[in-house]
Amino acid sequence: MLQRHRHYPWLIAAFGPLIIFVSNGLTTTAITVFDAEIIREFGLSRGDFKLRDAISYWGVALLVPFTGMLVDRVGPKRMVIFGLALLAIGYWWYARVGSLHEMYAIHALFAVALACAGTPPVILLVSSWFQRHRGLVIGLAVTGTSFGTILLSPLNGWLIENFGWRRGFLYESALPIAVLLLVALLVRNTPGEVGRAAVGQAAGTPELRSEGLTFAEAVRTRTFW
């Protein structure tokens, strides 16, 4: 089985930047390339339009403590799959959006998607597989945000120029679906699920996720705040 292969933990590490590339890139960075076309079509003021971004950011800030506690219960894989599914729905909806208030609703959906499939759950996922090289794999994971800006921004410009902004959103809704399917097929939450130890960890020792505090315990400490 693929999960038994000695390089499988590094496949999990590769999913870190890939997931964040899609989740952050499609919600907080490269999506702004569409702004000018949307404002022009709907005749919006920039202030009213950009409120949608505040909805996303404040929504994530409010939701992350709750999704953090939930990920302790259900595991990061399910959270990521759910978040990517919401992201695909949001992009499909954007392709058909008819009002500013619908955009606000979409960005509220994006907030949930980003809280479920953004940086915290992904870091928990990749760090569970590494005792040695943990800092490296976490660093690799967070590069996904930068790659989302670098690669998706020109792609969005090309989509607008050749197909229009609505089709651009529609076509890009396939990205989270593709990553969702890969996560569902290939990713496991922890080494213990496939009977192995984390990289750098002795066989037979407790899983890394069993060490330390749960998120619910952490938020009650002074150090966290």
Side-chain angles (χ1 to χ4, degrees):
M1 292 177 61
L2 177 62
Q3 292 83 358
R4 296 287 185 179
H5 195 280
R6 64 190 181 93
H7 294 306
Y8 179 72
W10 291 101
L11 176 65
I12 299 295
F15 269 101
L18 177 62
I19 295 166
I20 293 178
F21 167 80
V22 173
S23 62
N24 286 19
L26 292 183
T27 58
T28 64
T29 55
I31 191 174
T32 59
V33 176
F34 293 102
D35 287 2
E37 295 296 321
I38 298 173
I39 289 172
R40 185 180 302 114
E41 178 167 327
F42 286 90
L44 302 171
S45 72
R46 182 162 291 273
D48 289 341
F49 177 70
K50 297 304 284 186
L51 177 59
R52 62 170 202 167
D53 298 329
I55 291 171
S56 292
Y57 294 134
W58 278 104
V60 171
L62 293 171
L63 288 170
V64 162
F66 300 101
T67 56
M69 288 184 282
L70 187 58
V71 76
D72 284 331
R73 294 177 177 270
V74 304
K77 177 179 176 177
R78 289 182 180 178
M79 297 291 289
V80 167
I81 288 174
F82 181 66
L84 291 173
L86 292 182
L87 183 52
I89 292 170
Y91 260 62
W92 177 87
W93 189 358
Y94 240 125
R96 293 158 175 77
V97 71
S99 70
L100 180 61
H101 288 93
E102 282 187 66
M103 295 180 209
Y104 293 163
I106 292 170
H107 280 260
L109 189 69
F110 284 168
V112 182
L114 195 55
C116 293
T119 304
V122 171
I123 286 177
L124 178 61
L125 172 65
V126 299
S127 64
S128 296
W129 284 83
F130 291 85
Q131 187 174 63
R132 189 171 66 245
H133 309 306
R134 184 181 292 179
L136 172 62
V137 298
I138 291 174
L140 290 174
V142 298
T143 64
T145 300
S146 298
F147 281 113
T149 304
I150 294 168
L151 300 177
L152 290 176
S153 294
L155 173 62
N156 288 349
W158 181 83
L159 288 170
I160 292 168
E161 183 177 350
N162 289 276
F163 303 104
W165 69 268
R166 289 184 183 273
R167 283 196 179 185
F169 274 109
L170 182 62
Y171 293 159
E172 284 198 334
S173 68
L175 279 176
I177 293 174
V179 176
L180 181 159
L181 293 174
L182 290 173
V183 170
L185 290 172
L186 300 177
V187 170
R188 298 296 181 268
N189 286 304
T190 65
E193 291 188 3
V194 291
R196 61 185 298 164
V199 174
Q201 185 183 29
T205 55
E207 287 193 338
L208 297 177
R209 282 185 59 191
S210 66
E211 300 177 358
L213 305 177
T214 66
F215 191 89
E217 292 167 338
V219 296
R220 292 196 292 269
T221 66
R222 180 181 297 178
T223 301
F224 175 89
W225 294 106

